[in-house]
Amino acid sequence: MGMDYTAVNANLVRAELWSDQLKEILKDKLQGTKYVRWLSGFPDGNQFTIPSIGEIPMRETAELTPVVYDAMDTGEFNFTIDRYVESATYITDKAKQDAYYADQLIASFIPKMRRAIDENMETSIFALAGSQTLADANSINGADHRFVGSGTGGVVALQDFAKAKFALDKANCTGARIAIVDPATEYNLNSISNLVNVSNNPRFEGIVNSGFVDATTGMAFVKNIYGFDVYVSNYLATTASDENSGLGGTSTASTGFVQNMFFSMGGSDETPFVGAWRQMPRVEYERNKDLRRDEYVMNGRFGLKLYRPESLVVMLTPATI
């Protein structure tokens, strides 16, 4: 008797083959921590106070006129370590003994726990956009620092970048300009028909041809628009859709609005956000003999706060296209 497929199929053909590799989900690069001024000189306690002083005015005077002595305004900025975060998992003895992928699985625990904490940090940093007064223009020196996109339905328009630049200029922000936008906002930027025809910004000319991911850093870099280096992030915070009407917007979106961020960074004092780690993420391992399993935990303590409201501009746009 010969061996045809029917003869071998019953017992000699493997119906399913398993790879020796595990498939991972795609991860984007995180960027938020580089936009924070991380405080040092904070050895104990959970509250850090930075005193502030104002300016001294100049007055016109005349001969034989008494001098007017002006006192400077003073204040203080209070910062608190108020976040205690952790990520933890375990593997039982039976799972470790029987699983073909046990070694790969265990090796992934620490990187995945750190990634979870880092993603939480990213979200927390960008959530500071909500530290502004909601449904309010947050006007500083006569310029709005919170507004709805001026395009149809509240989407982004080129003039919104000019408006953000005006707000930072009026606030005397002289540092590097950064914009962090949602993918939906980038989509609408890509759809602007005259995107390559902005005469006062020659760097615009490379947008369509050069793509939207920086080949060197791997960051989702859009381009430079009116002086803002524009990056894309999926971690921007949303706000309630009813804030749209409070800011005079016209969108009817019901899924809330993304808080796209424009800000200025310069030196050690112009960056809009401050943060501090009381305890950097650390890993602890423990053998649980009662439950016959190995336990892993990573935890840390930190704080974040909006430090310079004048260095931050927030533009609300619909969260979907």
Side-chain angles (χ1 to χ4, degrees), residues 85-113:
V85 296
E86 68 180 15
S87 179
T89 191
Y90 66 86
I91 185 168
T92 64
D93 288 352
K94 189 174 188 301
K96 186 167 55 174
Q97 293 160 3
D98 294 352
Y100 173 71
Y101 300 99
D103 290 342
Q104 293 183 58
L105 184 64
I106 294 171
S108 72
F109 286 171
I110 294 176
K112 288 183 177 295
M113 289 190 293

Side-chain angles (χ1 to χ4, degrees), residues 202-317:
R203 294 182 65 180
F204 244 130
E205 297 172 0
I207 289 183
V208 174
N209 294 327
S210 62
F212 294 87
V213 177
D214 187 278
T216 302
T217 65
M219 301 303 299
F221 175 58
V222 177
K223 262 302 181 183
N224 186 284
I225 302 177
Y226 292 149
F228 289 96
D229 281 346
V230 185
Y231 292 88
V232 179
S233 174
N234 282 307
Y235 297 93
L236 293 174
T238 57
T239 184
S241 58
D242 58 6
E243 187 177 352
N244 168 65
S245 58
L247 290 170
T250 60
S251 175
T252 58
S254 60
T255 56
F257 282 73
V258 175
Q259 301 181 79
N260 305 276
M261 304 168 72
F262 303 82
F263 50 86
S264 177
M265 296 182 63
S268 62
D269 200 45
E270 194 170 317
T271 303
F273 314 120
V274 295
W277 283 101
R278 165 60 65 240
Q279 174 193 306
M280 290 291 292
R282 70 183 182 192
V283 179
E284 295 177 295
Y285 163 84
E286 184 175 49
R287 172 66 185 169
N288 190 325
K289 62 180 179 59
D290 294 328
L291 295 178
R292 295 169 297 285
R293 68 187 191 183
D294 298 335
E295 298 174 344
Y296 302 80
V297 60
M298 178 180 289
N299 52 47
R301 292 181 61 209
F302 68 91
L304 292 166
K305 193 171 183 179
L306 175 62
Y307 177 62
R308 284 201 174 275
E310 65 270 34
S311 294
L312 174 67
V313 177
V314 175
M315 173 185 66
L316 307 179
T317 57

Side-chain angles (χ1 to χ4, degrees), residues 24-213:
E24 297 272 1
I25 65 170
L26 295 176
K27 302 181 182 69
D28 49 359
K29 288 185 177 291
L30 305 178
Q31 56 186 305
T33 55
K34 65 183 179 181
Y35 305 131
V36 177
R37 174 191 170 197
W38 294 100
L39 301 175
S40 58
F42 192 0
D44 52 70
N46 64 1
Q47 181 167 306
F48 192 70
T49 300
I50 303 175
S52 61
I53 58 174
E55 298 296 319
I56 299 177
M58 188 281 300
R59 298 176 181 273
E60 296 287 347
T61 188
E63 188 177 17
L64 300 178
T65 300
V67 173
V68 176
Y69 295 91
D70 294 289
M72 287 190 297
D73 291 331
T74 62
E76 61 181 36
F77 171 83
N78 295 311
F79 172 83
T80 304
I81 300 291
D82 58 356
R83 298 289 305 280
Y84 204 167
V85 296
E86 68 180 15
S87 179
T89 191
Y90 66 86
I91 185 168
T92 64
D93 288 352
K94 189 174 188 301
K96 186 167 55 174
Q97 293 160 3
D98 294 352
Y100 173 71
Y101 300 99
D103 290 342
Q104 293 183 58
L105 184 64
I106 294 171
S108 72
F109 286 171
I110 294 176
K112 288 183 177 295
M113 289 190 293
R114 181 57 193 256
R115 175 72 186 193
I117 289 177
D118 288 346
E119 286 188 4
N120 174 266
M121 173 64 76
E122 186 91 349
T123 301
S124 299
I125 292 170
F126 292 147
L128 293 174
S131 298
Q132 293 180 329
T133 302
L134 303 185
D136 184 87
N138 290 264
S139 179
I140 298 174
N141 294 341
D144 293 349
H145 280 245
R146 191 176 184 90
F147 54 85
V148 177
S150 60
T152 302
V155 303
V156 64
L158 284 178
Q159 70 186 61
D160 296 323
F161 281 81
K163 186 173 183 178
K165 180 181 183 301
F166 171 74
L168 295 179
D169 288 345
K170 289 291 289 183
N172 300 316
C173 297
T174 59
R177 304 288 172 85
I178 304 293
I180 311 293
V181 302
D182 185 78
T185 306
E186 187 210 3
Y187 170 85
N188 287 292
L189 276 175
N190 298 347
S191 303
I192 296 175
S193 60
N194 64 340
L195 187 63
V196 297
N197 298 322
V198 181
S199 60
N200 66 340
N201 188 4
R203 294 182 65 180
F204 244 130
E205 297 172 0
I207 289 183
V208 174
N209 294 327
S210 62
F212 294 87
V213 177

